[in-house]
Amino acid sequence: MLASAALNLRSSSASRTFSKALPNSTAAPFSLVRTLSRFSVRSMADSAAAPFKKIQIHRGDTTFDAYVVGKEDAPGIVVLQEWWGVDFEIKNHAMKISQLVPGFKALIPDLYRGKVGLDIAEAQHLMDGLDWQGAVKDIQASANWLKANGSKKVGVTGFCLGGALSIASSVLVPEVDAVVAFYGVPSSELADPAKAKAPVQAHFGELDNYVGFSDVGAAKSLEEKLKASGIPYEVHIYPGNGHAFMNRSQEGVKRRKNMGMPDEDEAAVQLAWSRFELWMTRFLSA
């Protein structure tokens, strides 16, 4: 069952707390919300959609779509979206994960129920409206689905919004066996990392300016809390990299540049994936 702290948390409060962690008006990416033109997101229903199996997962009186790719009886990994929703980039990450050695089954739950942000304002609106309690329950239902369908152990990973939820799952979802989070820390109202029960590896960019959410200060605070938890943990900070540095597709690079994040560091991306692979293999091996 989910921890009582999560059950008592109002989703609107969690969303407001998350929004406050985003850069203020002095930060370029979000000061341009009204002036940036819409960035057309390529539909995953095209060429990249073929490898994914679309399923429906039930929890209580709710049903949501999820997308699965990878070896049938491999360890499972729940892959959580950025604030954009289930778009091309999160599916790129899931494909990458499914192809790592020794092989994983990746599952993306659709936390936004089919909605995808095509520009910053839309993504902000979708994130503000997220039911964070419900999202944690979606993670739990996804982990249970994987364990009922051939995966003996299940990890959770996520990026930005999904990174924060990944860490929250280490505290609130007992079915989770390991976590790798990218540039995101949950609000104290949602989950206290000092109470984490699953091993956590976390990745942050040195130049990330989302204060209190994914900047260096947030990373160091997370490290102290994980140390207090007593679980195995690693916190990695990548010099010269900003937020969302793992997004390396052509569309993802263009979107980051439009948001004022021009850094490109393929070596850092490969290092992060190698650390991811070692961590998940270590804790998800049967």
Side-chain angles (χ1 to χ4, degrees):
M1 295 181 65
L2 297 175
S4 59
L7 295 177
N8 292 332
L9 175 66
R10 294 181 60 187
S11 60
S12 59
S13 173
S15 181
R16 287 196 300 272
T17 301
F18 186 102
S19 299
K20 289 177 182 178
L22 297 173
N24 58 30
S25 59
T26 63
F30 286 81
S31 65
L32 300 178
V33 169
R34 294 187 178 181
T35 60
L36 279 175
S37 60
R38 291 172 63 88
F39 183 87
S40 297
V41 176
R42 176 170 55 84
S43 172
M44 288 305 301
D46 300 330
S47 58
F52 288 87
K53 176 183 178 182
K54 185 178 179 180
I55 63 170
Q56 288 194 320
I57 296 178
H58 305 276
R59 63 165 180 86
D61 58 356
T62 301
T63 301
F64 60 92
D65 292 336
Y67 301 86
V68 183
V69 63
K71 294 173 61 176
E72 195 61 33
D73 294 325
I77 298 181
V78 180
V79 183
L80 302 175
Q81 66 199 48
E82 296 177 295
W83 70 336
W84 306 104
V86 179
D87 69 350
F88 60 89
E89 201 66 78
I90 200 62
K91 288 196 174 184
N92 289 340
H93 291 325
M95 280 294 299
K96 172 73 174 181
I97 290 166
S98 73
Q99 295 165 356
L100 295 174
V101 177
F104 298 99
K105 181 193 290 186
L107 182 154
I108 308 170
D110 189 349
L111 304 181
Y112 285 169
R113 303 299 192 260
K115 297 178 180 178
V116 177
L118 299 184
D119 58 27
I120 292 174
E122 288 183 358
Q124 177 75 63
H125 176 72
L126 289 169
M127 184 184 66
D128 285 345
L130 179 66
D131 175 2
W132 289 70
Q133 291 182 54
V136 173
K137 293 177 183 177
D138 286 352
I139 297 168
Q140 184 174 39
S142 298
N144 282 329
W145 187 94
L146 284 166
K147 289 192 171 183
N149 287 273
S151 298
K152 294 181 181 178
K153 291 188 177 181
V154 171
V156 177
T157 190
F159 304 79
C160 185
L161 162 67
L165 284 168
S166 297
I167 294 172
S169 76
S170 74
V171 179
L172 303 171
V173 183
E175 291 84 354
V176 172
D177 298 296
V179 163
V180 178
F182 291 89
Y183 28 81
V185 176
S187 71
S188 58
E189 293 177 286
L190 179 62
D192 180 0
K195 298 178 181 178
K197 301 174 184 66
V200 175
Q201 182 186 81
H203 303 262
F204 298 87
E206 177 192 33
L207 304 181
D208 196 320
N209 61 358
Y210 293 3
V211 177
F213 176 69
S214 54
D215 66 324
V216 170
K220 292 182 177 179
S221 176
L222 172 67
E223 186 169 19
E224 290 302 311
K225 291 180 180 180
L226 292 175
K227 185 183 299 183
S229 75
I231 50 94
Y233 72 90
E234 293 178 1
V235 176
H236 301 286
I237 299 174
Y238 296 80
N241 284 269
H243 193 74
F245 67 88
M246 295 295 287
N247 294 351
R248 301 302 308 131
S249 70
Q250 182 177 354
E251 298 96 329
V253 169
K254 182 178 179 181
R255 183 161 64 185
R256 291 185 76 248
K257 288 182 177 179
N258 285 344
M259 293 176 67
M261 303 179 215
D263 57 293
E264 296 185 38
D265 188 349
E266 191 63 32
V269 173
Q270 294 307 315
L271 178 58
W273 278 125
S274 68
R275 287 167 168 166
F276 175 101
E277 184 176 3
L278 287 171
W279 192 260
M280 288 301 196
T281 300
R282 174 185 174 187
F283 292 106
L284 300 186
S285 297

